[in-house]
């Protein structure tokens, strides 16, 4: 499908605030962003309806995205969903690739020392995105899968990733979650204060009862928060020599400092 150009702009229903527009590209990006929010995928007609597009427009875009490996079609359900291609591409992006490479060994040592799983996350809009994850050698663990996205307002990771922002900015991001409440924001701000004042924060999981998330920020070269390192701490009921949650905080702070120094911050949080 060709797009006509007039007065230096392409035709179509483009955003009038943009200096230049590319309607075909916008349609493709709209599809990707829509599918990124769907865990079960969508049928072609559902995508067309959600984006207020014709089925013929959507079909052409889906055909291209499928041929390039960005979406896949389940022939049984006739639903389209995202592949892992964009996630893989993000890991080839130099800052992310370097961060995960530097953090990997430290995370493995931390997981073994604490007998807890450890994950590394970055901020992705109003959500956290898990870019690295390590499990301990023991049994009975709680972990977050690689590539998981969770609303920042419900996580200690989000508190560490956003404590340098203004409260207004955090509230704006948190409010984008459909399950957002003022009560959730107040609890989140308590966790943010911990991160700002002590360099480590702890909060009960908003998803799994009995789990306490412990997080520290990873500081980049310019003093900005580059990522967060988190342990979803579980207390096992059998007798063991596992570190308690206070020791977990100390170990995690040291691990965060080590990763921060390795990526160039040169100073502890």
């Amino acid at each position: 499908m060709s797009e006509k150009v007039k007065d230096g702009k392409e035709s179509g229903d483009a955003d009038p605030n943009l200096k230049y527009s590319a309607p075909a590209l916008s349609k493709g990006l709209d599809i990707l962003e829509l599918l990124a929010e769907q865990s079960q995928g969508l049928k072609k007609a559902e995508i067309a309806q959600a984006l207020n597009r014709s089925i013929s427009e959507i079909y052409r875009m889906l055909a291209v995205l499928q041929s390039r490996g960005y979406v896949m079609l389940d022939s049984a359900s006739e639903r389209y969903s995202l592949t892992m291609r964009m996630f893989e591409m993000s890991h080839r992006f130099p800052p992310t690739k370097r961060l995960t490479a530097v953090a990997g060994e430290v995370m493995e040592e931390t997981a073994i020392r604490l007998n807890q799983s450890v994950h590394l996350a970055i901020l992705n809009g109003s959500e956290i995105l898990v870019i690295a994850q390590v499990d301990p050698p023991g049994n009975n663990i709680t972990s977050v899968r690689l590539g998981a996205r969770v609303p920042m307002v419900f996580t200690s990771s989000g508190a560490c990733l956003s404590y340098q922002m203004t409260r207004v900015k955090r509230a704006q991001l948190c409010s984008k979650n459909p399950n957002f409440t003022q009560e959730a924001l107040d609890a989140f701000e308590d966790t943010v204060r911990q991160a700002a004042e002590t360099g480590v924060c702890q909060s009960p999981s908003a998803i799994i009862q009995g789990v306490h998330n412990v997080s520290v920020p990873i500081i980049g070269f310019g003093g900005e928060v580059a990522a967060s390192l988190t342990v979803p701490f579980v207390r096992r009921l059998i007798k063991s020599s596992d570190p308690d949650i206070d020791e977990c905080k100390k170990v995690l702070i040291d691990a965060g400092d080590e990763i921060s120094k390795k990526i160039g911050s040169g100073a502890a949080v």
Side-chain angles (χ1 to χ4, degrees):
M1 179 177 62
S2 63
E3 302 284 354
K4 295 182 180 180
V5 178
K6 184 177 181 180
D7 297 330
K9 296 183 180 181
E10 293 183 355
S11 64
D13 51 354
D15 186 342
N17 294 320
L18 296 177
K19 183 177 181 180
Y20 300 103
S21 63
L25 176 60
S26 294
K27 293 171 192 173
L29 293 174
D30 286 344
I31 292 173
L32 293 176
E33 290 174 356
L34 175 65
L35 291 178
E37 299 173 352
Q38 308 297 321
S39 60
Q40 303 298 321
L42 292 172
K43 293 184 177 181
K44 182 168 51 185
E46 293 172 331
I47 297 173
Q49 182 178 13
L51 298 179
N52 196 25
R53 301 283 187 181
S54 68
I55 291 181
S56 62
E57 284 182 290
I58 295 303
Y59 176 78
R60 287 192 289 269
M61 292 295 129
L62 286 171
V64 173
L65 291 171
Q66 188 177 358
S67 69
R68 296 293 296 269
Y70 288 93
V71 304
M72 58 184 177
L73 173 65
D74 182 343
S75 57
S77 65
E78 297 184 342
R79 291 181 178 274
Y80 290 88
S81 59
L82 289 185
T83 67
M84 294 297 289
R85 181 169 174 78
M86 288 194 294
F87 182 70
E88 293 166 356
M89 288 173 62
S90 71
H91 273 66
R92 293 201 298 268
F93 182 56
T96 302
K97 186 175 182 180
R98 179 166 180 263
L99 179 58
T100 54
V102 166
E105 184 177 351
V106 179
M107 292 176 66
E108 289 179 5
E109 293 172 352
T110 303
I112 293 171
R113 184 173 175 183
L114 295 175
N115 195 22
Q116 304 279 348
S117 64
V118 184
H119 60 264
L120 188 72
I122 59 175
L123 198 59
N124 181 36
S126 62
E127 299 175 315
I128 67 159
L129 171 65
V130 177
I131 61 172
Q133 193 273 333
V134 176
D135 286 333
N139 297 324
N140 305 313
I141 63 171
T142 298
S143 61
V144 181
R145 68 174 175 82
L146 186 66
R149 298 189 309 169
V150 185
M152 60 179 276
V153 69
F154 299 129
T155 66
S156 61
S157 295
C160 284
L161 288 166
S162 64
Y163 80 92
Q164 292 180 337
M165 297 178 185
T166 65
R167 181 166 184 148
V168 171
K169 177 63 175 178
R170 282 194 299 271
Q172 289 174 342
L173 289 175
C174 291
S175 65
K176 292 182 180 181
N177 181 265
N179 296 315
F180 168 82
T181 63
Q182 185 59 48
E183 183 180 3
L185 180 60
D186 291 341
F188 181 67
E189 284 297 326
D190 287 340
T191 312
V192 169
R193 279 192 290 274
Q194 291 181 49
E197 294 173 1
T198 68
V200 60
C201 59
Q202 171 193 342
S203 64
S205 171
I207 300 171
I208 303 176
Q209 188 174 8
V211 174
H212 280 257
N213 295 315
V214 181
S215 298
V216 296
I218 304 300
I219 305 301
F221 180 78
E224 79 290 351
V225 178
S228 64
L229 188 66
T230 299
V231 167
F233 186 89
V234 293
R235 186 175 66 85
R236 297 172 179 84
L237 299 180
I238 59 173
K239 290 183 178 180
S240 71
S241 58
D242 292 349
D244 61 17
I245 198 164
D246 290 331
E247 180 65 18
C248 175
K249 290 181 181 180
K250 295 175 183 177
V251 171
L252 206 60
I253 288 173
D254 289 342
D257 287 349
E258 185 175 353
I259 296 171
S260 296
K261 291 173 183 177
K262 285 186 174 181
I263 65 172
S265 75
V269 178

